[in-house]
Amino acid sequence: MATHHMFDLDWTPEAVVFDCDGTLVDSEQHWQQARISVLRDFGCEPGPDFTERAKGLHYTECGALMAGVAGRPEAAGEMTERLLTTFRTLVAREPVAARGAKGLVTILSRVAPLAVASNCPADVVEFSLEAVGLRHHFRHIVVPDEEVRPKPHPGTYTEAVRRLGVHEGNTLAVEDSVNGLRAAVGAGLKVVGVGPRPGPEAAALADLWVGTLDNAGLMGWAASRPRTVRRTTGLPGTAPARPSVPPPGGPSRTDTPSAP
């Protein structure tokens, strides 16, 4: 798919927040294999629409979805645990970075501080990023907890921006799912969407859409960015206190796309 840009190519982000699964790590195949494996253990074959329904869901929501599909709502907790265990096994066996992820992350890490906002458990994100050699580039990993709601709520992105000490309007998000795009736009970030075939909603939410992260226009833009003047401090980790999450709202965007 052709690249379209809907933000100023002279703009340099103060920070960049990446989704993990499907964006940095080519793990959707592993999640899908894990879902199917668990469903089959419960005597169920998923229907043709199951993959799209499950993509981008928080893992507990995915477990509940699987339990509903299998007609075993009481087994949601067990199916969730099996899903995570199976996924870890598959990633350990064959870790794969998403196409272009290493190059783009390396370039942008020289421009601005980076974080990850994911719906997966923190240990799964850490494991996946370590497996593909990307963990050291990120100062913070933000995942849902008692106070941060999962995507499509904007909480993970709002918290990532807070920890990085930047303004949401000056921050770029990189996402591959509709739920992730909704979360990033709701938090007020500019958004690059990545994937081969965006649906109408995904294409409308993204300020920029690319088929893969090694897209020439995106890479050229990233490579031409100067280092940001405003730098944050700190090492990879977490921060305790959190502000309230703002209501959904998004950055302004133009109506006429053009190729970079």
Side-chain angles (χ1 to χ4, degrees), residues 30 61 100 156 161 168 223:
H30 298 134
E61 294 173 337
T156 52
V161 168
E168 62 274 8

Short mmCIF file of all heavy atoms in Angstrom, two decimals, residues 30 61 100 156 161 168 223:
data_model
loop_
_atom_site.label_atom_id
_atom_site.label_comp_id
_atom_site.label_asym_id
_atom_site.label_seq_id
_atom_site.Cartn_x
_atom_site.Cartn_y
_atom_site.Cartn_z
N HIS A 30 2.30 -15.99 16.35
CA HIS A 30 2.43 -16.78 17.58
C HIS A 30 1.15 -16.71 18.42
O HIS A 30 0.71 -17.71 18.99
CB HIS A 30 3.62 -16.29 18.39
CG HIS A 30 4.93 -16.42 17.68
ND1 HIS A 30 5.86 -15.41 17.63
CD2 HIS A 30 5.46 -17.43 16.98
CE1 HIS A 30 6.91 -15.80 16.93
NE2 HIS A 30 6.69 -17.04 16.53
N GLU A 61 -9.19 -10.19 27.94
CA GLU A 61 -10.37 -10.11 27.07
C GLU A 61 -10.33 -11.21 26.01
O GLU A 61 -11.37 -11.76 25.62
CB GLU A 61 -10.43 -8.74 26.41
CG GLU A 61 -10.68 -7.60 27.40
CD GLU A 61 -10.57 -6.24 26.75
OE1 GLU A 61 -9.90 -6.13 25.69
OE2 GLU A 61 -11.15 -5.29 27.29
N GLY A 100 11.61 -4.15 9.44
CA GLY A 100 11.97 -2.74 9.57
C GLY A 100 12.06 -2.23 10.99
O GLY A 100 12.50 -1.11 11.22
N THR A 156 -2.62 3.59 28.50
CA THR A 156 -1.22 3.16 28.35
C THR A 156 -0.40 4.24 27.67
O THR A 156 0.76 4.48 28.04
CB THR A 156 -1.11 1.85 27.56
OG1 THR A 156 -1.83 1.97 26.32
CG2 THR A 156 -1.66 0.68 28.36
N VAL A 161 3.54 8.78 27.99
CA VAL A 161 3.91 10.18 27.79
C VAL A 161 4.30 10.82 29.11
O VAL A 161 5.27 11.58 29.20
CB VAL A 161 2.74 10.94 27.12
CG1 VAL A 161 2.96 12.44 27.17
CG2 VAL A 161 2.57 10.48 25.67
N GLU A 168 1.83 15.24 24.94
CA GLU A 168 1.26 14.23 24.06
C GLU A 168 1.17 14.70 22.60
O GLU A 168 1.36 13.90 21.68
CB GLU A 168 -0.14 13.81 24.55
CG GLU A 168 -1.19 14.90 24.57
CD GLU A 168 -1.18 15.71 25.85
OE1 GLU A 168 -0.26 15.53 26.68
OE2 GLU A 168 -2.11 16.52 26.02
N ALA A 223 15.43 9.36 9.47
CA ALA A 223 16.88 9.59 9.37
C ALA A 223 17.21 11.07 9.25
O ALA A 223 18.32 11.49 9.61
CB ALA A 223 17.43 8.83 8.17
#
